[in-house]
Amino acid sequence: MKYIRKLRGKIFIKLFLSYAGIMLASFVLFAGVFIFLFHLQLYDQFEEEFSYHHEHLEQQWPVEDERLAEEMLTQSKSEVLIYSDCTSCEPFYWNEGLLTEAQSGEITHDSMWLEDGELVHVVAAPFQDDDVMLMAFYDLNHEYTQLAVMLLTPFIITLMIMTVIVWAISRKITAPLKELNDVALKLAEGDFSKKAKPKSNDEIAQLGETFNYMAEELESLEDMRRDFIANVSHDLRSPLTSIKGFLVALLDDTIPNDKRTHYYHIMKDETERLIKLVNDLLDMTQLQSGTVNIHKSRYNISEQVRQIVARMEPQFNEKELEVDLSLEEVEINADKDRIDQLLVNLIQNAIQFSKRNTTITIQTKIIENGVAISVTDEGEGIKQEDLKMIFERFYKSDTSRSSKVGTGIGLSIVQSIADLHDAKVDVTSQQGKGATFSITLPNK
């Protein structure tokens, strides 16, 4: 838990650093492109100025040559040198290769650092016959310093402003996530009362709505689980209490010998009730966990229904119920034992909630690509709001049906077995007019 809480601020940090990284990368890219374009424009200006002076000097240059003719222009940032014999003269501070390349007939450029640390750009080209004209442009350090100031000053100001904006945006984006984290922690602790409060319509707000829905579902499931445990505890305690009471009475000889057989049968029934409850619990656990494998075979399901009804005749007689069978002979490919369990649960459910002296109708009908099985009782029915929930594990409706003995396991088992067979389960009901449970099994 402490580790989870420590992680809460990391999204904000990552988001903030991501924005900062994007800003820095954008500035570096912009500065690189800007410097490159500035560099091209500055050197184009140098070349234009060189061409102008080159043409001007060629027009005025005297016929007589000296070994080294040098003309200083009245400019503070440039110097023009003319070499008439570049093979024997000292190259001053110029690159000798630059002179040789210029003699080949092309305008050449070169930048260099002087001994005093000054950056100089030199442009050279042929002049007259075998001469070379070079023009040096000084004070480039100042130019690039001004460029740096022009770039860094707005960047620093923009960075300060954008830092505040990015911090606010990151905070706004991560605030709902921190709230969702708090909600998730409360859910993990079993507190379903805390809800997210979405303040927009974006994806995070949708996630908040999903969290709220999940909290409601978990709370509902937790309530059903508590009711289920209470029901199971009651259903286990009642027969155990009866069995213990009868055993104590038998041991104390307070029950006459001629009535002992009767109480033995009662204890037997209570024991069978306990065994069924435990088996249902085990079946539900296995079916819900997905560890059950079905073994299909082809058999007559209508005959299976008849055998189940005959087997359950004592339960029908106990409530004086009539059974109306409307069966079409049909074979299906299914796990016979699991379908038997499904049908028994449906019929026991119908018996449990039927009024005395009423009829339970069981029908099998051939349909396209399968068979439909329905079990209809004439009980008090199910509320419409409960119809969607009755197949959920632990669920037990608040209708009069819940006043009967039961834990809400049977229909969950029915749904799980139907899912294993790719079957569809439906229920229709009106209060006061009973309920009909239908299973549609594919016949393949």
Side-chain angles (χ1 to χ4, degrees):
M1 187 67 67
K2 292 181 179 179
Y3 176 72
I4 293 175
R5 294 187 185 276
K6 288 179 181 178
L7 293 177
R8 295 173 61 187
K10 288 196 173 182
I11 292 179
F12 172 80
I13 295 173
K14 289 179 179 179
L15 195 60
F16 181 81
L17 292 179
S18 296
Y19 281 135
I22 292 172
M23 289 171 52
L24 182 60
S26 300
F27 171 74
V28 171
L29 180 61
F30 169 77
V33 173
F34 188 85
I35 292 172
F36 177 73
L37 294 176
F38 175 83
H39 177 84
L40 291 180
Q41 184 179 8
L42 184 63
Y43 288 1
D44 285 343
Q45 289 178 349
F46 290 161
E47 186 170 339
E48 288 178 6
E49 188 173 348
F50 173 84
S51 298
Y52 170 77
H53 289 297
H54 186 277
E55 183 180 354
H56 179 70
L57 288 176
E58 276 194 326
Q59 292 174 359
Q60 299 181 2
W61 194 251
V63 176
E64 55 276 357
D65 283 334
E66 298 180 1
R67 183 178 180 278
L68 177 62
E70 177 178 343
E71 178 180 330
M72 295 294 299
L73 300 179
T74 58
Q75 297 186 28
S76 61
K77 295 185 179 181
S78 63
E79 179 181 16
V80 175
L81 298 175
I82 297 176
Y83 285 84
S84 58
D85 186 5
C86 294
T87 58
S88 59
C89 68
E90 292 191 13
F92 192 52
Y93 50 75
W94 318 113
N95 187 334
E96 191 170 353
L98 179 69
L99 301 176
T100 305
E101 188 177 350
Q103 281 184 317
S104 65
E106 297 180 359
I107 297 179
T108 58
H109 298 258
D110 193 14
S111 295
M112 59 196 69
W113 294 92
L114 302 183
E115 293 181 357
D116 60 359
E118 185 176 3
L119 180 62
V120 179
H121 183 72
V122 180
V123 183
F127 185 80
Q128 296 289 331
D129 299 325
D130 295 328
D131 298 341
V132 174
M133 174 179 170
L134 299 97
M135 191 169 183
F137 295 89
Y138 302 99
D139 207 21
L140 294 186
N141 295 39
H142 180 68
E143 296 283 350
Y144 283 106
T145 300
Q146 284 186 323
L147 176 63
V149 173
M150 290 173 57
L151 287 173
L152 289 176
T153 300
F155 171 71
I156 293 173
I157 296 173
T158 304
L159 180 63
M160 295 172 62
I161 297 173
M162 290 303 297
T163 298
V164 176
I165 295 174
V166 166
W167 182 87
I169 293 174
S170 301
R171 184 71 178 269
K172 184 176 181 180
I173 292 176
T174 56
L177 294 176
K178 292 175 70 176
E179 182 184 10
L180 291 178
N181 185 67
D182 291 338
V183 172
L185 290 173
K186 290 296 183 182
L187 291 178
E189 293 169 358
D191 181 4
F192 305 107
S193 61
K194 190 172 180 61
K195 297 290 190 296
K197 300 175 182 178
K199 299 178 182 178
S200 61
N201 295 320
D202 57 13
E203 289 80 358
I204 296 179
Q206 293 174 7
L207 182 61
E209 294 288 353
T210 303
F211 261 78
N212 291 339
Y213 176 74
M214 179 179 67
E216 293 173 1
E217 292 297 309
L218 289 174
E219 185 176 15
S220 175
L221 185 62
E222 179 65 14
D223 290 340
M224 287 190 291
R225 186 187 67 83
R226 291 195 189 101
D227 292 341
F228 171 76
I229 292 175
N231 292 333
V232 170
S233 299
H234 177 270
D235 287 349
L236 287 172
R237 183 175 58 187
S238 295
L240 287 174
T241 301
S242 299
I243 292 171
K244 179 183 177 181
F246 293 139
L247 286 174
V248 170
L250 289 169
L251 290 173
D252 292 343
D253 292 328
T254 56
I255 297 178
N257 290 332
D258 59 338
K259 293 186 177 181
R260 289 194 173 195
T261 301
H262 171 70
Y263 288 106
Y264 285 144
H265 282 294
I266 293 177
M267 287 190 290
K268 175 178 174 294
D269 291 341
E270 293 296 300
T271 303
E272 289 176 349
R273 178 181 163 191
L274 284 173
I275 291 172
K276 182 184 183 305
L277 177 59
V278 172
N279 286 338
D280 283 348
L281 288 171
L282 291 174
D283 288 338
M284 184 189 70
T285 302
Q286 291 178 345
L287 290 167
Q288 292 289 340
S289 66
T291 59
V292 174
N293 295 320
I294 59 174
H295 304 283
K296 293 184 177 181
S297 61
R298 195 152 193 87
Y299 67 95
N300 188 321
I301 192 170
S302 300
E303 181 60 29
Q304 184 180 29
V305 171
R306 294 189 190 94
Q307 292 175 1
I308 292 173
V309 170
R311 199 166 67 230
M312 299 179 69
E313 185 175 353
Q315 298 181 43
F316 290 112
N317 293 336
E318 184 179 352
K319 294 189 70 172
E320 300 177 353
L321 299 173
E322 295 291 332
V323 181
D324 181 11
L325 297 179
S326 178
L327 309 176
E328 293 184 10
E329 301 299 323
V330 58
E331 290 189 348
I332 64 168
N333 187 34
D335 188 317
K336 188 174 183 178
D337 293 336
R338 291 299 176 184
I339 296 298
D340 188 284
Q341 187 179 10
L342 180 151
L343 293 173
V344 167
N345 273 287
L346 284 180
I347 295 172
Q348 283 182 336
N349 188 73
I351 293 172
Q352 181 177 350
F353 300 117
S354 289
K355 300 175 183 178
R356 299 185 72 86
N357 298 309
T358 57
T359 300
I360 293 176
T361 303
I362 305 173
Q363 183 181 44
T364 61
K365 183 179 180 180
I366 300 173
I367 59 174
E368 185 178 359
N369 298 324
V371 59
I373 308 167
S374 63
V375 179
T376 303
D377 65 65
E378 297 177 0
E380 297 187 20
I382 309 170
K383 290 181 179 180
Q384 293 299 312
E385 58 266 28
D386 292 327
L387 288 177
K388 295 180 180 180
M389 301 292 294
I390 58 175
F391 293 103
E392 298 289 335
R393 57 178 176 172
F394 311 143
Y395 186 78
K396 201 176 181 186
S397 94
D398 291 330
T399 65
S400 60
R401 298 171 78 94
S402 64
S403 63
K404 311 292 182 180
V405 177
T407 58
I409 300 175
L411 292 180
S412 175
I413 292 174
V414 168
Q415 181 66 67
S416 298
I417 294 174
D419 290 341
L420 288 173
H421 287 81
D422 296 323
K424 182 180 179 183
V425 183
D426 292 310
V427 57
T428 57
S429 178
Q430 291 184 359
Q431 283 194 277
K433 296 185 179 180
T436 298
F437 288 85
S438 302
I439 308 294
T440 304
L441 284 162
N443 191 10
K444 58 180 180 180

